[in-house]
Amino acid sequence: MGNCSQGCKDYFSRQKNTNIRLTLPVVCFVWQIAMIILFGVFIRYDKESNAHWVETKAHDNITSDIENDFYFRYPSFQDVHVMIFVGFGFLMTFLKRYSFGAVGFNFLIASFGLQWALLMQGWFHSLDPQTGKIFIGVESLINADFCVAGCLIAYGAVLGKVSPVQLLVMTLFGVTLFAVEEYIILNLLHARDAGGSMVIHTFGGYYGLAISRVLYRPNLHQSKRMQGSVYHSDTFAMIGTLFLWMFWPSFNSAITDHGDGQHRAVINTYLCLASTVLTTVAISSLSQKTGKLDMVHIQNSTLAGGVALGTAAEFMISPYGALIVGFFCGIISTMGYIFISPFLEKTLKIQDTCGIHNLHAMPGVIGGIVGAITAAAASESVYGKQGLINTFDFTGDFKDRTVLTQGGYQAAGMCVSIVFGVVGGAIVGSILKLPIWGDPADENCFDDEVYWEVREPATHHLLQPHSP
Amino acid sequence: MGNCSQGCKDYFSRQKNTNIRLTLPVVCFVWQIAMIILFGVFIRYDKESNAHWVETKAHDNITSDIENDFYFRYPSFQDVHVMIFVGFGFLMTFLKRYSFGAVGFNFLIASFGLQWALLMQGWFHSLDPQTGKIFIGVESLINADFCVAGCLIAYGAVLGKVSPVQLLVMTLFGVTLFAVEEYIILNLLHARDAGGSMVIHTFGGYYGLAISRVLYRPNLHQSKRMQGSVYHSDTFAMIGTLFLWMFWPSFNSAITDHGDGQHRAVINTYLCLASTVLTTVAISSLSQKTGKLDMVHIQNSTLAGGVALGTAAEFMISPYGALIVGFFCGIISTMGYIFISPFLEKTLKIQDTCGIHNLHAMPGVIGGIVGAITAAAASESVYGKQGLINTFDFTGDFKDRTVLTQGGYQAAGMCVSIVFGVVGGAIVGSILKLPIWGDPADENCFDDEVYWEVREPATHHLLQPHSP
Amino acid sequence: MGNCSQGCKDYFSRQKNTNIRLTLPVVCFVWQIAMIILFGVFIRYDKESNAHWVETKAHDNITSDIENDFYFRYPSFQDVHVMIFVGFGFLMTFLKRYSFGAVGFNFLIASFGLQWALLMQGWFHSLDPQTGKIFIGVESLINADFCVAGCLIAYGAVLGKVSPVQLLVMTLFGVTLFAVEEYIILNLLHARDAGGSMVIHTFGGYYGLAISRVLYRPNLHQSKRMQGSVYHSDTFAMIGTLFLWMFWPSFNSAITDHGDGQHRAVINTYLCLASTVLTTVAISSLSQKTGKLDMVHIQNSTLAGGVALGTAAEFMISPYGALIVGFFCGIISTMGYIFISPFLEKTLKIQDTCGIHNLHAMPGVIGGIVGAITAAAASESVYGKQGLINTFDFTGDFKDRTVLTQGGYQAAGMCVSIVFGVVGGAIVGSILKLPIWGDPADENCFDDEVYWEVREPATHHLLQPHSP
């Protein structure tokens, strides 16, 4: 037993080998071939993207092509797509020498994850019982992008400390867990969560934090010289911040109800985010001796309002309600960067490179709570009779549900997403701890040279740590 | 009196204190709380973003959700949103060490201003007399972004020379003035100005120039080492240029009439901007000894055509007319950078960091004139009877207005915007001159280190002035 | 004869003069004035962008403005517009000191080309026989952007080695050739090619390669120090890559049929591109000793799937079919960078700066073949009777065409685009070889200082070649 334990220890602490020339191509190829086969068996065009659409139109008395769901959702889809690839990708380029990894691995795992998401979400949400097929359209693409967002959030916690192979494994399990928790929350509990405060941000946040906890590196300070920004890398990161910030109204409205649902979600998110910017700036300025602003806060906390309105954006939270949510999120998220992140690292041993706890996990939980309260407080006088039914989808099995009950189920959904994140992350973290995935040594973290051909040698001044 | 004058002088010339740890947070918090209260009192969802939409549809015999104004305007809104935050923000990153201030303060004042704009524009344009409420929808959001654009233009003139607190004050008054002049021009004079040549660009331009005049710094040369670009900062600025250029057709069409109005505004702006690029390149090349191009011209003057078509974009100016406008704007704007900017600085003591006189003020005035002429020349044979009424909104009190009269009122509108810009800017400039706002000393202008935690020390080669 | 030959040789090998102060402005001005005149004679608003639209609506029983083609195509148009200016522009910023040229000249020739494209495409496709006018709307703008794309692809082959005047000449002829081959392929052969695998990518690719062959520089190694990337320039290039990648679904769907046609093209392209990313990463990793990834591959080959689905995107290729196309394109394109590009340079003397052979020419040919096969395999059971007619436009003169015949014509179209590219490129290349265009000397290639005022001197470390 002692010997085994010693053997295990040796096994785990042996010299790191970051050669991924075998594992990375194999995972990519095997996976992509599997996807082709599974898509061949399961995935078909839905009736709005099928060449039989002309017959569908005649059959359903649809008078114009403009009624095709494509025209309701495509602009929002493209905005979400930009958020996933440019938004998340560039937001993580703030590290001085990890821009390739930030943008490139984000690109890889999103492309990988969205295919699996179409299958997983299809099996759980839209498998046609008669044909055994999954019929996809533009809404499926949006949902796949959403699902991937959860995994990209988790990437933020481990940025610079894992190999691309680990990221692919993390994404594979992340998408799987996502589809299950989403099924429980949206279908079984019948909670509403159009912008994903719970299913995307809370889940993704805790999933990443739990993985980061399991992969804790006590000697991470050995790569401290790399763990910071330079002037231009902070500017690149602002590209990510702004595209996320600007398109968040599309994110929260992309799959809400046609008409007023999408319209209202946009207005609420727009206002909430504007409010967040002001309180973020206020707290950031307060936190420094002479009132200087910190780019870390501006890059991240300004987005917390969008996260926190993910559930309630489609509700009649009213414009000032949206401002209030944003007001508190900016404060809480910025304070998170100042006080909570150091605490998490020192006490709970959670090394959170991008501070996803402050940007996604906490605001996600706030969003779940706001959603539950707003739902419970909904009334026919505010929504109108039919409006209430439409907004909360009180139809079919749920036609007798009251708003109070709905509030309760919203809160329950919140808990489900936390549990899935924490437990799922702990398990997946353990898998990722196996010493076969090619992760970097402690002294080589946050350095693109490990996994990328870097043509230009890093110069001294770029790598000097900041000495105030 | 002499004593007082001496005392005043001392008061104004004392050592600059750029500590904004008190003022910035206080302004942000007070302001945001005020916004929440005012929104609570005044702002409501309009009938297209309200959950009662289902009843509205039934009542108004609207057959499909796609008739919701959201679907007519949301794609344009998102493009405008990108112009405001990425376009204006990155365009100003050209300075070697002021990218954080350019993107970050742009972000701050736009978020601040758009809330106030919703209120101010609401009070002036859409306050419901019965309920005393302002009902907002996607068009309100576009108008708020437009209003903010005026202030961001003004920011360009004072870039690098003011504190964020000054910018917030400038935005507060800027939005207020904007709403009033907009009310006079669009409602009282009933001028047309969908893309804002007059209300946005002319006003914003002169507002900024007047402020810059009042805040004239005779010793600005002390920070000359910082007042220039480096290779990467010029590349970042091109991100701003291109997003402004590409999305300008959306800017000029965002609030024009449904159908042909939006369609035509896009075509005109697209053509006009293409033409501007060619003449900008031509003049830029002519201005240098061996025909080399200057990034300053390419970054800015290529956009002048969009500004100058802000009024006439929705008119039947015809495709070649749009090309002609662009042709002259490229020439005039580039020549402005070569000849007029140095003159303004030396003779009129107007220090215009971004050259907004060449990009916004002058082309805005051209746009106003083009609009007046095109309106006066409009005819029923070209527009059709109903087309003429729709395009110029000759309804209600204005149903008997002739196109010639309309042309006169367009020209009057032009003058109103100039007067508001110059007078308003002079007054606001005087307020900003008070030595309580934390502005930087002459030798610290154009330097992010004054208001931002900058992690990486500036290296020598980055700060060397250009020696040809 | 011998004397003449010697004289010619001297004439061609004289000292390079890169002064373009005369030629560039003259070309720009003459051209722009010609455009204004030709637009005045030929170009008018179409009925959907004309103020008479209100009468058109009444006449055609159109019940809502939302039926205006503008609302079907404007979001896609804007995405395509971003691809042309930001996508192509930033993709080429990867060189360490050619970002101004990449973004700036791309901007210039696109603005120049799109005007000519509106005329050329108008004359060939939509000249109204009665009025002798060309009526333009949003679809014309998309087609003009498409046409320009062909020339921007060609620019990729000669990036850094030509003067802006040469680029303008290249664009002038490129657009002309494009309009003719497009007319032959789409109208005479009645082939389908909505996303332009053949007419855009194959033509543009071979056009650029042929030009580059004629302009072969045996001593290009003299500017080897400039021919590579630095860390930040690679990050800038990823902006281009991602915007191209994200918006490619809009590119391939922008002019497809309303309804299912646009919807399906988006789904297919989305899936195909995701698949390409995985196989690109796999091959890139395999190609390096320790499995490191190469930015060149990630920046370029990830896009090959979009190119290859340009023809078939609107067909019922089915989701797994799209994945298969992407699978092989990622492999072939990446291998092209590793094996074929060095071969082309060494053996065929084709210096292809951006590797357009791997990103556009080869995938374009694959796309043509995939299109031909998919068309030939189309069946009424899959498409439905009317769906088949709509998709392949089997109406009018072509109402009796079978799918097999269609497949044959698709293949013929493929050949036409190759022939036009190669022959046209060879001829245009010969014109560009004249020593009057101000192209740079061999030792000054890939250097912005030749045609741009560069304020900051290049520092040593930026220009050091990579020493592994």
Side-chain angles (χ1 to χ4, degrees), chain C residues 148-466:
Chain C
V148 161
C151 299
L152 301 181
I153 290 165
Y155 180 24
V158 296
L159 182 74
K161 300 176 294 184
V162 292
S163 77
V165 182
Q166 281 176 306
L167 288 173
L168 291 171
V169 174
M170 198 172 127
T171 305
L172 171 61
F173 288 109
V175 168
T176 312
L177 289 163
F178 184 100
V180 178
E181 58 114 28
E182 189 190 35
Y183 177 70
I184 295 172
I185 296 172
L186 302 189
N187 294 42
L188 301 187
L189 300 179
H190 198 70
R192 303 291 288 175
D193 196 18
S197 288
M198 305 184 284
V199 298
I200 301 170
H201 298 286
T202 305
F203 165 73
Y206 285 107
Y207 181 62
L209 292 168
I211 291 174
S212 189
R213 175 64 191 83
V214 177
L215 300 180
Y216 179 67
R217 289 171 179 263
N219 299 317
L220 191 60
H221 58 83
Q222 290 175 3
S223 55
K224 196 163 180 52
R225 73 194 184 290
M226 306 299 285
Q227 202 183 359
S229 62
V230 286
Y231 195 72
H232 284 311
S233 69
D234 268 328
T235 310
F236 275 119
M238 281 305 290
I239 297 174
T241 300
L242 288 176
F243 275 102
L244 287 170
W245 194 91
M246 295 180 306
F247 288 166
W248 217 293
S250 297
F251 194 92
N252 283 349
S253 70
I255 57 164
T256 52
D257 290 341
H258 289 176
D260 64 298
Q262 290 193 281
H263 204 149
R264 190 164 56 249
V266 161
I267 295 173
N268 288 336
T269 311
Y270 172 90
L271 291 173
C272 182
L273 283 165
S275 174
T276 310
V277 174
L278 268 82
T279 51
T280 298
V281 166
I283 301 294
S284 182
S285 176
L286 269 176
S287 74
Q288 301 282 344
K289 225 172 42 187
T290 60
K292 289 187 185 188
L293 298 174
D294 190 327
M295 267 312 225
V296 171
H297 307 153
I298 307 301
Q299 282 161 10
N300 293 283
S301 297
T302 50
L303 300 166
V307 173
L309 220 61
T311 303
E314 60 178 329
F315 300 162
M316 294 284 287
I317 193 172
S318 77
Y320 77 92
L323 290 182
I324 292 172
V325 173
F327 185 90
F328 288 107
C329 280
I331 297 173
I332 293 166
S333 177
T334 315
M335 287 196 158
Y337 279 96
I338 301 168
F339 300 113
I340 303 177
S341 284
F343 169 83
L344 287 181
E345 177 150 6
K346 202 175 279 178
T347 315
L348 299 187
K349 299 190 175 177
I350 298 174
Q351 293 156 329
D352 178 6
T353 313
C354 294
I356 63 163
H357 184 260
N358 314 305
L359 172 48
H360 296 282
M362 270 200 309
V365 172
I366 294 172
I369 296 168
V370 169
I373 294 172
T374 329
S379 71
E380 227 173 271
S381 67
V382 172
Y383 286 77
K385 190 175 165 57
Q386 190 59 40
L388 201 62
I389 293 169
N390 289 353
T391 304
F392 294 98
D393 203 11
F394 287 155
T395 54
D397 291 349
F398 307 95
K399 72 176 192 302
D400 297 326
R401 191 181 270 192
T402 65
V403 292
L404 265 180
T405 323
Q406 180 66 27
Y409 279 105
Q410 295 284 143
M414 183 76 256
C415 302
V416 171
S417 66
I418 295 176
V419 170
F420 262 80
V422 172
V423 177
I427 295 166
V428 174
S430 310
I431 296 168
L432 296 179
K433 228 180 151 62
L434 295 173
I436 56 173
W437 306 116
D439 55 316
D442 290 339
E443 66 270 29
N444 293 328
C445 285
F446 315 116
D447 190 349
D448 269 334
E449 299 208 23
V450 179
Y451 302 114
W452 297 86
E453 285 290 308
V454 178
R455 281 172 182 77
E456 155 218 26
T459 53
H460 181 64
H461 83 271
L462 280 170
L463 301 180
Q464 238 174 357
H466 174 50

Side-chain angles (χ1 to χ4, degrees), chain B residues 193-216:
Chain B
D193 196 19
S197 288
M198 306 183 283
V199 299
I200 300 171
H201 298 286
T202 306
F203 165 74
Y206 286 106
Y207 181 63
L209 292 168
I211 291 174
S212 190
R213 174 63 191 83
V214 178
L215 300 181
Y216 178 67

Side-chain angles (χ1 to χ4, degrees), chain B residues 259-268 313-319 382-383 391, chain C residues 44-54 56 68-70 135-141:
Chain B
D260 64 299
Q262 290 193 281
H263 204 149
R264 190 164 57 250
V266 161
I267 294 173
N268 288 335
E314 59 178 330
F315 300 162
M316 293 285 287
I317 193 172
S318 78
V382 172
Y383 286 77
T391 305
Chain C
R44 296 293 177 271
Y45 303 117
D46 71 6
K47 63 181 183 178
E48 301 192 281
S49 57
N50 195 298
H52 291 270
W53 163 249
V54 61
T56 307
N68 193 305
D69 196 38
F70 180 77
F135 295 97
I136 63 169
V138 66
E139 194 170 337
S140 319
L141 307 189

Side-chain angles (χ1 to χ4, degrees), chain B residues 51-271:
Chain B
H52 291 270
W53 163 248
V54 60
E55 295 155 28
T56 307
K57 273 200 300 181
H59 182 268
D60 296 357
N61 272 324
I62 296 168
T63 52
S64 165
D65 282 325
I66 199 90
E67 297 285 334
N68 194 304
D69 196 38
F70 180 77
Y71 301 103
F72 288 89
R73 307 218 181 268
Y74 189 62
S76 310
F77 161 68
Q78 272 298 5
D79 293 349
V80 171
H81 216 40
V82 171
M83 292 172 75
I84 298 297
F85 291 90
V86 162
F88 282 105
F90 273 89
L91 183 60
M92 298 191 287
T93 58
F94 71 98
L95 289 172
K96 62 185 80 163
R97 294 295 277 195
Y98 210 71
S99 301
F100 295 1
V103 172
F105 294 154
N106 184 80
F107 194 15
L108 171 64
I109 61 179
S111 302
F112 172 90
L114 62 86
Q115 301 178 51
W116 183 227
L118 282 169
L119 283 163
M120 281 301 298
Q121 294 184 314
W123 285 322
F124 276 99
H125 295 275
S126 57
L127 192 69
D128 184 70
Q130 280 161 340
T131 59
K133 303 296 180 197
I134 299 161
F135 295 97
I136 62 169
V138 66
E139 195 170 337
S140 320
L141 307 189
I142 297 171
N143 277 313
D145 272 18
F146 277 2
C147 182
V148 161
C151 300
L152 301 181
I153 290 164
Y155 179 25
V158 297
L159 182 75
K161 301 176 294 184
V162 293
S163 77
V165 181
Q166 281 175 306
L167 287 173
L168 291 172
V169 174
M170 198 173 128
T171 305
L172 170 62
F173 288 108
V175 168
T176 311
L177 289 162
F178 183 100
V180 178
E181 57 113 29
E182 188 190 35
Y183 177 71
I184 295 171
I185 296 172
L186 302 190
N187 295 45
L188 301 188
L189 301 178
H190 199 71
R192 302 291 288 175
D193 196 19
S197 288
M198 306 183 283
V199 299
I200 300 171
H201 298 286
T202 306
F203 165 74
Y206 286 106
Y207 181 63
L209 292 168
I211 291 174
S212 190
R213 174 63 191 83
V214 178
L215 300 181
Y216 178 67
R217 289 169 179 265
N219 299 315
L220 191 59
H221 58 82
Q222 291 176 2
S223 54
K224 198 164 178 53
R225 75 194 182 290
M226 307 299 284
Q227 203 183 356
S229 62
V230 287
Y231 196 72
H232 284 311
S233 69
D234 267 328
T235 310
F236 275 119
M238 282 304 291
I239 297 175
T241 299
L242 288 176
F243 275 102
L244 286 171
W245 194 91
M246 296 180 304
F247 288 166
W248 216 294
S250 297
F251 194 91
N252 283 350
S253 71
I255 58 164
T256 53
D257 289 341
H258 289 177
D260 64 299
Q262 290 193 281
H263 204 149
R264 190 164 57 250
V266 161
I267 294 173
N268 288 335
T269 312
Y270 172 91
L271 291 173

Side-chain angles (χ1 to χ4, degrees), chain A residues 322-345:
Chain A
L323 290 182
I324 292 173
V325 172
F327 185 90
F328 288 107
C329 280
I331 297 173
I332 292 167
S333 176
T334 314
M335 288 198 156
Y337 279 96
I338 302 168
F339 300 113
I340 303 177
S341 284
F343 169 81
L344 286 182
E345 176 150 7

Side-chain angles (χ1 to χ4, degrees), chain B residues 95-97 219-230 441-450 458-466:
Chain B
L95 289 172
K96 62 185 80 163
R97 294 295 277 195
N219 299 315
L220 191 59
H221 58 82
Q222 291 176 2
S223 54
K224 198 164 178 53
R225 75 194 182 290
M226 307 299 284
Q227 203 183 356
S229 62
V230 287
D442 289 339
E443 66 268 29
N444 293 328
C445 285
F446 314 115
D447 190 349
D448 269 335
E449 299 207 23
V450 179
T459 54
H460 182 64
H461 84 271
L462 279 170
L463 302 180
Q464 241 172 355
H466 174 49

